[in-house]
Amino acid sequence: SQKIEQNSEALNIQEGKTATLTCNYTNYSPAYLQWYRQDPGRGPVFLLLIRENEKEKRKERLKVTFDTTLKQSLFHITASQPADSATYLCALEGGFNKFYFGSGTKLNVKP
Amino acid sequence: DVKVTQSSRYLVKRTGEKVFLECVQDMDHENMFWYRQDPGLGLRLIYFSYDVKMKEKGDIPEGYSVSREKKERFSLILESASTNQTSMYLCASSPGERSMETQYFGPGTRLLVL
């Protein structure tokens, strides 16, 4: 079965630094991968999608990479701000609009 | 903006009760989903529906059923609630059968079964 691993330990960084979150997966070759943000007590919100034939995708301060050989995606937030503090989830397409989600990594950006 | 609403933010039920969780989306989306979210386990798909009156089992359907009588509404039913169904329940929708679709989530219902 599909296994998705995100670092369960919180990532603590200083404001202004770049945050890098990792998503590793096994037993599958998804056509695309998504990243979501989730704030406490709320549902996830879509951030970025990257296809298997794309190496990198950017949106404002966000950057996602997708290495299908390593079976890994990296999610970067540059010039991080305290408002970026949240849990970030990766999701892999599982066919027919189904998704498999990781358990998320909590990011804490300290002022 | 797409809006997905869930009937309750918090629910407390007793073991053995029948529980209904309601989800409504206002963007005419074809697909709707129910997930549960538990610490360390991520979101796990319970059921999804790609059309009115159509449903498909997800990864953990045991102990649950669903109903989709209208396109905008997708209900999750716990036939006989048990303590191991205490969880955060999230509803989501997506536009249709196109690939690479974003899911839009509701705010979640935190269910406690005593």
Side-chain angles (χ1 to χ4, degrees), chain A residues 32 92-100, chain B residues 33 35 45 48 56-59 103:
Chain A
Y32 61 95
L92 277 61
E93 69 84 26
F96 197 70
N97 284 303
K98 286 177 63 175
F99 293 88
Y100 296 102
Chain B
F33 306 81
Y35 295 88
L45 182 64
F48 69 100
E56 292 285 342
K57 292 181 180 179
D59 299 315
Q103 292 200 335

Side-chain angles (χ1 to χ4, degrees), chain B residues 42-105:
Chain B
L43 276 73
R44 292 180 291 166
L45 182 64
I46 304 170
Y47 268 98
F48 69 100
S49 167
Y50 53 89
D51 200 355
V52 175
K53 296 190 185 294
M54 305 301 288
K55 61 185 180 184
E56 292 285 342
K57 292 181 180 179
D59 299 315
I60 52 165
E62 298 78 17
Y64 303 95
S65 62
V66 291
S67 172
R68 193 164 179 205
E69 296 296 319
K70 293 185 178 181
K71 191 174 186 179
E72 67 271 18
R73 189 179 298 268
F74 192 34
S75 302
L76 179 70
I77 303 151
L78 286 65
E79 298 290 343
S80 177
S82 63
T83 54
N84 63 13
Q85 292 179 309
T86 290
S87 187
M88 167 73 102
Y89 289 88
L90 289 161
C91 174
S93 71
S94 67
E97 292 186 9
R98 300 188 303 274
S99 62
M100 305 184 196
E101 291 197 337
T102 302
Q103 292 200 335
Y104 297 86
F105 284 85

